[in-house]
Amino acid sequence: MIIVNTGNGKGKTTAAVGQIIRSLGRGWKVCLIQLFKGKEFYGEQKILKGLKGLDFYCFAPKHPGCFPGVYRASLVSDCGKALEQFEKALNSKKKYDLIVLEEFNIALRDSFLKAEPLLELLKHKPSNVNVFITGRSAPKALLELADIVTEMKEVKHHYHNGVLAKKGIEF
Amino acid sequence: MIIVNTGNGKGKTTAAVGQIIRSLGRGWKVCLIQLFKGKEFYGEQKILKGLKGLDFYCFAPKHPGCFPGVYRASLVSDCGKALEQFEKALNSKKKYDLIVLEEFNIALRDSFLKAEPLLELLKHKPSNVNVFITGRSAPKALLELADIVTEMKEVKHHYHNGVLAKKGIEF
């Protein structure tokens, strides 16, 4: 099964984290591959690292939208490594039940990653491996391939009243 | 801060679970009050029970939509107890940073719970307590009170192709 969380609202990453917790609760083996999230920036990372049954990889820790000095070439290289890690995970002897590709939609949107190789991996994945992909602006071809697509739609957000991202809530 | 996850798509509960993980990762004290979720039915419950810093309550384990034999009077009574637990949590010496009210929107929609007492508690809550409310069909008055509202909008779901809810993914 392929699940996609997209849209401009809060809840894409947190729902992926919740999905990991649910799957681990079923005794599933889970692999999380994160882009643009640092290694120790998000509150959930501390808890996730301590959970049995989860392997956790971070690539391209800084997105240029937040860190303007980041080189494009290094992002393309890092996102390529993340894709390699995904291919390894699909074929791993660990036999993951769930692989989460965090913010891969953003890498596609910003052309750090080409869509074709990712779509090919998804089309030919072992049928028992579930893949969960997050990030706003998911491309149409991915939506067509997916079994479940949720758009997290922002109805209201205190950001627009000048409130900054809050530790514990947004990160 | 008051956060609401509503809409007909997948991701409301999993995002609340992810939010709990994020908040615990920041050392926050969290209280989860669940409605209509059984006590051991959802995969995430096994993991959540083992996490330090989280207190976890379940009320009204069965919703009549899934279990037609459930009496309305017992649901009204159970949802009332859940609201009492929320009031206790708001004023607890434990000083929760986050209280999650799972599926309370459904209790409001189905009139197992009246909106006014819940809204009153929210309006007069201690300002440092964050409250996260989930469930489709959130009432307008709650949306007006909230700081962040996300609509989880179903774009595509394999249910509609006759596929049943999958263990590890949907529960």
Side-chain angles (χ1 to χ4, degrees):
Chain A
M1 193 178 302
I2 298 170
I3 303 168
V4 174
N5 277 1
T6 192
N8 66 346
K10 175 171 165 56
K12 298 180 291 294
T13 293
T14 46
V17 171
Q19 185 68 59
I20 290 168
I21 300 298
R22 175 172 293 169
S23 298
L24 291 174
R26 294 297 179 197
W28 283 20
K29 284 174 204 148
V30 182
C31 178
L32 167 60
I33 305 174
Q34 283 197 322
L35 296 175
F36 315 128
K37 296 273 175 179
K39 277 189 180 170
E40 290 172 3
F41 184 69
Y42 283 78
E44 62 267 29
Q45 293 171 329
K46 287 184 193 172
I47 304 283
L48 291 174
K49 275 179 185 165
L51 294 176
K52 216 180 144 185
L54 174 69
D55 292 325
F56 185 7
Y57 301 89
C58 292
F59 295 92
K62 294 178 176 177
H63 188 276
C66 304
F67 301 91
V70 183
Y71 287 109
R72 188 176 173 82
S74 78
L75 289 162
V76 170
S77 163
D78 277 7
C79 291
K81 284 178 198 157
L83 192 72
E84 266 181 53
Q85 186 60 54
F86 175 45
E87 187 166 16
K88 275 186 205 164
L90 282 172
N91 301 300
S92 167
K93 283 180 189 164
K94 290 200 175 180
K95 295 197 178 300
Y96 293 112
D97 302 284
L98 175 68
I99 302 172
V100 179
L101 305 179
E102 253 272 284
E103 304 290 4
F104 272 53
N105 291 334
I106 295 293
L108 296 173
R109 183 198 68 182
D110 296 347
S111 302
F112 304 141
L113 200 62
K114 284 184 183 173
E116 291 73 13
L118 175 62
L119 293 171
E120 282 306 305
L121 287 175
L122 290 171
K123 278 177 195 162
H124 301 104
K125 74 173 184 61
S127 63
N128 55 318
V129 183
N130 300 282
V131 182
F132 195 129
I133 304 159
T134 73
R136 50 181 79 193
S137 310
K140 210 179 157 192
L142 178 58
L143 300 185
E144 281 166 10
L145 204 60
D147 301 283
I148 302 177
V149 177
T150 306
E151 180 194 350
M152 272 64 179
K153 199 176 158 187
E154 182 185 287
V155 177
K156 192 175 184 180
H157 203 297
H158 63 155
Y159 281 159
H160 302 301
N161 294 324
V163 181
L164 294 177
K166 192 177 168 187
K167 197 170 175 173
I169 296 289
E170 273 104 1
F171 65 95
Chain B
M1 193 179 302
I2 298 170
I3 303 169
V4 175
N5 277 0
T6 193
N8 66 346
K10 174 170 166 57
K12 297 180 291 294
T13 293
T14 46
V17 171
Q19 185 68 60
I20 291 168
I21 300 297
R22 177 172 293 168
S23 298
L24 291 174
R26 294 294 178 198
W28 283 20
K29 284 175 205 146
V30 182
C31 178
L32 167 60
I33 305 175
Q34 283 196 322
L35 295 176
F36 315 128
K37 296 274 174 178
K39 276 189 180 170
E40 290 173 2
F41 183 69
Y42 283 77
E44 61 267 29
Q45 293 170 329
K46 288 184 193 172
I47 304 284
L48 291 175
K49 277 178 185 167
L51 294 177
K52 215 180 144 185
L54 174 68
D55 291 324
F56 185 6
Y57 302 89
C58 292
F59 295 92
K62 294 177 177 179
H63 188 276
C66 304
F67 302 91
V70 183
Y71 288 110
R72 188 174 173 83
S74 78
L75 288 162
V76 170
S77 163
D78 278 8
C79 290
K81 284 178 198 159
L83 192 73
E84 267 180 52
Q85 186 60 56
F86 175 46
E87 187 166 15
K88 273 185 206 165
L90 281 172
N91 301 300
S92 168
K93 282 180 190 166
K94 289 200 175 181
K95 297 199 177 298
Y96 293 112
D97 303 283
L98 174 68
I99 302 173
V100 179
L101 305 179
E102 253 272 283
E103 304 292 3
F104 272 53
N105 291 334
I106 295 293
L108 296 172
R109 181 197 69 183
D110 296 347
S111 302
F112 304 141
L113 200 63
K114 284 184 184 172
E116 290 72 15
L118 175 61
L119 293 171
E120 281 306 305
L121 287 176
L122 289 171
K123 278 176 196 162
H124 301 104
K125 74 174 184 61
S127 63
N128 55 318
V129 182
N130 300 282
V131 182
F132 196 127
I133 304 160
T134 72
R136 50 180 79 193
S137 310
K140 208 179 156 191
L142 178 58
L143 301 185
E144 280 166 9
L145 204 60
D147 301 284
I148 302 178
V149 177
T150 305
E151 180 195 351
M152 272 63 180
K153 198 177 162 191
E154 182 185 286
V155 177
K156 193 175 184 181
H157 203 298
H158 63 154
Y159 282 160
H160 302 301
N161 294 324
V163 181
L164 295 176
K166 193 176 165 185
K167 197 170 174 172
I169 296 290
E170 272 104 2
F171 65 95

